[in-house]
Amino acid sequence: MNGSSLLSAFGALAVLVVTFAESGLLIVGFFLPGDTLLFPAGVLCATGAAHGGSGLSLWQVMVCAAVGACVGAQVGYYIGRRGGRAMLARSHSVRLKEVVTRGEELLARYGQRKAILIGRFIPMVRTVLGPVAGVLEVPAKTYTLWQVVAGIAWSQSLVLLGYWLGAEVPGVDNYLLPLVALVVVVSFLPVLLQRRRRN
C-alpha cells in the first residue's frame, strides 16, 4: 500500500502510525513510507481544501507527524538501551548491519547533537539512529532534546513543502507519484554520496 492509499484509507492516523513505526521500530520501520507519506499528505491537505475538503486537515497532519516522529524515536532509543545490542547481534540482515554502521559513523564523525539532527533526514538511518544511540549510551537528555528538534524539523518541513506545492501549483496532485519518487531520490542523495566517497 503506497502513501496516498494509506492517507485515503486512514487519514491523519496513518501519518501518526507510520512516522512512529519508521522512527523507532527498527526492522518494521524499513518497510514504511516516511518521506513518501508526509509530502503527499501536505499536498492533499492543500488540494483537498481547494476542492471542498479531502478529509485531511493540515493541523491534524502536522501534529500527528510530529508526535509520531518524536515518540517513535524515543521508543527506539529505549529499545536500544534495554536490549538493542543483543537484538543486533542476533540479526542476520546485512542491510541492517550496514545501516547500523552508518549510524555509528554519524555519531562518531559529527558528535551526538549533529548526528541526531542529520540522521533524521537520511532514510533508513533515522530508523536505526535511536536504537544505536541507546546501545551506545548517548545520554537520555541529550538524545531526547535533539531528536525532538530533529523530528519536528523533518516532519513539518516535508508536510509544509507538500502543502505549499499543492497550494501554489494547480493540478499538482495528479503528479504525486513522480513527485514522491523525486523526494525519495533527494532523500537518498547523502547515502549515495557517502558510498561514492568510500569507493
Side-chain angles (χ1 to χ4, degrees), residues 3-185:
S4 298
S5 302
L6 277 170
L7 289 166
S8 300
F10 302 106
L13 181 61
V15 172
L16 177 67
V17 171
V18 168
T19 52
F20 172 85
E22 190 208 17
S23 298
L25 296 186
L26 214 53
I27 307 261
V28 178
F30 283 129
F31 304 101
L32 293 169
D35 298 339
T36 61
L37 185 70
L38 295 177
F39 179 78
V43 171
L44 293 174
C45 285
T47 56
H51 296 98
S54 66
L56 279 178
S57 157
L58 179 63
W59 75 265
Q60 288 177 340
V61 168
M62 290 178 72
V63 168
C64 286
V67 170
C70 295
V71 174
Q74 202 65 30
V75 168
Y77 173 80
Y78 285 114
I79 287 172
R81 208 50 196 255
R82 300 290 167 96
R85 195 174 293 278
M87 186 181 1
L88 292 172
R90 285 195 305 268
S91 173
H92 299 293
S93 169
V94 175
R95 183 183 178 194
L96 175 61
K97 288 178 180 175
E98 281 179 2
V99 178
V100 168
T101 301
R102 175 79 176 122
E104 290 173 333
E105 287 172 355
L106 265 176
L107 285 163
R109 182 174 178 184
Y110 295 106
Q112 295 170 353
R113 296 178 209 174
K114 283 185 184 175
I116 293 164
L117 285 169
I118 294 167
R120 171 58 80 171
F121 289 86
I122 303 174
M124 296 187 295
V125 172
R126 70 174 150 261
T127 304
V128 299
L129 196 58
V132 168
V135 167
L136 298 178
E137 298 185 351
V138 172
K141 284 184 182 177
T142 301
Y143 179 77
T144 301
L145 172 63
W146 291 102
Q147 73 86 358
V148 167
V149 170
I152 290 172
W154 169 73
S155 62
Q156 306 307 283
S157 62
L158 280 169
V159 173
L160 290 173
L161 177 63
Y163 186 83
W164 173 80
L165 204 62
E168 293 295 320
V169 181
V172 73
D173 50 329
N174 296 320
Y175 302 97
L176 273 182
L177 283 178
L179 284 170
V180 167
L182 180 63
V183 169
V184 170
V185 168

